[in-house]
């Protein structure tokens, strides 16, 4: 950030600057702004897609757990509920906590990946509650807590890739602009100036029209030719 501010301050000064540096500055600023706009838009779009995918997965898993839990309650096999809760937390990296309650609010099973693994992670933000229904009557509820790491990790990687890509694009832009300016502006202007180094060349060796020059330099070329003719006629 310090170097960026120094760069901006440099271009604010009323001093002569290389044309390549001026073009690189404005083109680079435009590229940075465009990249930031696209990156922010892409970030929110991808995060929204990943969020929806995680929610769909969470609801599908909650419905599956609810069906299995109701069957276990009917059969009075509560150990199945506990084993199921443990297996779910082990097999689903996004699922960090599951709690199952009966209709009286009594906890039938609980498995918390944070307590079991001692990961030290922050509590996740996605909580899903699924009611347990037995013959259309409430038989309790299931509470599933999911980690957002599946969303945050890809977004962090995406942000790093965008930053690296931006640096390469800026470097490539500076290189291309410098090469183009050198080939199509600086060298042609130097060639024109070499033809006007002495009074004899200016008056008695008129320049020829170079159709290969860019349009702007062709105008300069023609202006010099016209000036040479007027000087010669005047003398």
């Amino acid at each position: 950030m310090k170097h960026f501010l120094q760069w901006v301050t440099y271009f604010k000064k009323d001093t002569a600057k290389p044309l390549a540096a001026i073009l690189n500055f404005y083109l680079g600023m435009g590229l940075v702004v465009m990249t930031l706009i696209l990156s922010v838009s892409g970030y929110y779009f991808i995060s929204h897609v990943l969020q929806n995918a995680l929610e769909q997965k969470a609801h599908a898993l909650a419905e599956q757990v609810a069906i299995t839990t109701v069957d276990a309650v009917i059969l009075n096999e509560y150990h199945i509920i506990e084993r199921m809760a443990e297996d779910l937390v082990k097999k689903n990296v996004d699922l960090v906590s599951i709690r199952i309650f009966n209709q009286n609010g009594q906890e039938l099973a609980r498995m918390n990946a944070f307590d079991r693994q001692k990961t030290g992670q922050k509590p996740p933000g996605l909580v899903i509650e699924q009611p347990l229904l037995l013959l259309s009557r409430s038989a309790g509820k299931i509470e599933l807590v999911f980690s957002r790491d599946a969303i945050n990790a890809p977004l962090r990687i995406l942000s790093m890739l965008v930053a690296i890509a931006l640096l390469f694009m800026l470097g490539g832009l500076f290189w291309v602009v410098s090469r183009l300016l050198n080939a199509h502006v600086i060298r042609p202007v130097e060639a024109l100036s070499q033809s006007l180094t002495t009074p004899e060349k200016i008056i008695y060796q008129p320049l020829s029209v170079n159709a290969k020059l860019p349009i702007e330099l062709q105008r300069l070329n023609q202006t010099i030719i016209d000036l040479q003719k007027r000087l010669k006629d005047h003398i």
Side-chain angles (χ1 to χ4, degrees):
M1 183 57 118
K2 180 180 179 181
H3 295 291
F4 176 75
L5 293 177
Q6 291 177 347
W7 192 36
V8 174
T9 304
Y10 168 74
F11 276 92
K12 287 183 177 180
K13 294 180 179 179
D14 294 329
T15 56
K17 305 172 184 65
L19 181 60
I22 296 174
L23 289 178
N24 279 328
F25 174 77
Y26 289 106
L27 290 175
M29 290 296 293
L31 180 61
V32 169
V33 172
M34 183 182 300
T35 302
L36 288 177
I37 293 174
L38 293 177
S39 299
V40 171
S41 302
Y43 182 92
Y44 281 104
F45 174 76
I46 294 175
S47 63
H48 182 70
V49 171
L50 294 176
Q51 176 75 16
N52 288 340
L54 181 61
E55 289 180 357
Q56 292 177 4
K57 174 184 176 181
H59 285 292
L61 184 60
E63 292 176 359
Q64 178 185 349
V65 172
I67 294 173
T68 304
T69 301
V70 170
D71 292 341
V73 170
I74 294 175
L75 298 174
N76 202 26
E77 297 287 348
Y78 291 99
H79 65 281
I80 295 178
I81 300 176
E82 296 177 356
R83 188 166 63 250
M84 174 191 63
E86 183 176 358
D87 291 341
L88 285 174
V89 173
K90 287 181 179 179
K91 295 178 180 179
N92 294 274
V93 294
D94 299 331
L95 179 62
V96 295
S97 176
I98 178 172
R99 300 173 68 189
I100 303 174
F101 303 89
N102 62 14
Q103 68 273 22
N104 298 321
Q106 181 182 359
E107 193 172 74
L108 301 179
R110 174 174 182 165
M111 178 56 62
N112 193 323
F114 293 125
D115 295 339
R116 177 170 55 81
Q117 299 177 358
K118 301 298 183 183
T119 60
Q121 299 174 343
K122 295 181 179 180
L126 181 59
V127 180
I128 301 295
E129 290 188 356
Q130 176 72 28
L132 298 176
L133 299 177
L134 180 59
L135 300 177
S136 300
R137 298 178 59 183
S138 176
K141 70 173 183 177
I142 298 172
E143 181 186 272
L144 303 177
V145 182
F146 288 83
S147 172
R148 296 185 183 273
D149 288 344
I151 298 176
N152 296 332
L155 291 177
R156 285 195 295 268
I157 295 174
L158 177 63
S159 300
M160 293 177 60
L161 292 177
V162 169
I164 294 173
L166 178 60
L167 290 177
F168 276 103
M169 290 171 64
L170 288 174
L173 176 67
F174 297 158
W175 182 80
V176 169
V177 169
S178 298
R179 296 273 295 186
L180 290 175
L181 284 176
N182 190 52
H184 298 285
V185 177
I186 297 175
R187 288 181 182 175
V189 170
E190 288 179 347
L192 289 175
S193 64
Q194 289 296 323
S195 303
L196 305 171
T197 53
T198 64
E200 290 76 11
K201 287 183 177 182
I202 296 174
I203 299 174
Y204 300 107
Q205 296 180 10
L207 296 177
S208 59
V209 177
N210 188 352
K212 295 182 179 180
L213 292 175
I215 294 177
E216 292 79 6
L217 292 184
Q218 287 185 26
R219 293 174 182 171
L220 176 62
N221 192 175
Q222 187 62 47
T223 300
I224 294 175
I225 293 175
D226 295 339
L227 179 60
Q228 286 180 304
K229 290 180 179 179
R230 289 197 296 270
L231 286 173
K232 186 176 182 180
D233 293 341
H234 180 71
I235 293 176

